[in-house]
Amino acid sequence: MKIKHQFLTIALLLAFAVSQAQPKAAANVWSAQKANAWYARHKWISGANFTPSTAINQLEMWQADTFDPITIDRELGWAQGIGFNTMRVFLHSIAWKEDPAGFKSRVRQYLDIAGKHHIQTIFVFFDDCWNADPKPGKQPEPKPGVHNSGWVQDPGNDINKPGEYEILHKYVTDVMGTFSHDKRILLWDMFNEPNQNREAVTMELLSKAFAWARAVNPDQPLSAGIWDLDQKKLVAFQLANSDVITYHSYETPDKHLALIQRLKKYGRPLICTEYMARPRNSTFQNTMPMLKRENVGAINWGLVTGKTNTKYAWDTPIPDGSEPKLWFHDIFRKDGVLYKQDEGDLIKHLNGKQ
């Protein structure tokens, strides 16, 4: 999920390894022993980043007028059918600000539906990707052929408003505190793709978010996925503060495997929380079996094609909205038919459904 994604390349990995010592774990971070014991209690983690096909972004998913439990139930049923056991789902602070009690009720309703399908959830709090001015209320219609045309940052430019940190503190504390013992939640992902272009403000929010979460002390682990090793300060903080290491890679299998091998030196469980971009040669066929062999959790981007338009590539829009020759992300069409039957067969096989 990128605007201009700076990938985790071998060169950056080597540069990082040379220039940075292994970060010392921050206060209250789980020990590696505790993290690995937690990971061992779970089946191999596999699934997708999930936004229902009827929502263009996080706000349309969670606001009362457009929350769509019927579609969520149907689409998570398709996920269950191919053996997925985990979804990664983005929350949004504006939906909470507008209606804290209603927002938490809808989160609980989502968890009830996911639990019915034997699916745990990774919830994401903050996000530096795409549109920086999120607004409550009716969300825009998708731009034809444009990847994630309506996705919004959280908090985006709102972080500059007076008192915003205090509000976000209450948001994290309220939501996490409410669900801190809920076994249907696998992990809390504190910040999606913190961006070096906003490094000062992002680092402040990232550090505060972890501090707020540690004060809640949930049963579930905390993490913030690394995605660009050129952001050395951010990466060092993420590695030092994550109970479980999560990361993104849309690279080819050889580069992806090299990343895994280097991350394993930290002695913690690994979950890849974004992968699979077919035109970039990051596919289910060449990557998902490798992740299972390496005992790394596998969460691809996109379950059902819909208003997010993530079947289109990041930087190659199709203005007339016609079908791309090869889908970038996503697994199912809106009617539940697999985009590629052989992909579905492989996923089912790796998940023990065949």
Side-chain angles (χ1 to χ4, degrees), residues 32 62 90-91 129 152 158 331 349:
W62 291 114
F90 287 70
L91 305 172
C129 286
V152 286
D158 283 355
I331 300 171
H349 172 73

Side-chain angles (χ1 to χ4, degrees), residues 285-300:
Q285 287 90 342
N286 66 20
T287 301
M288 195 174 183
M290 180 266 290
L291 292 172
K292 186 169 187 181
R293 284 195 305 272
E294 297 295 324
N295 195 29
V296 174
I299 311 295
N300 72 277

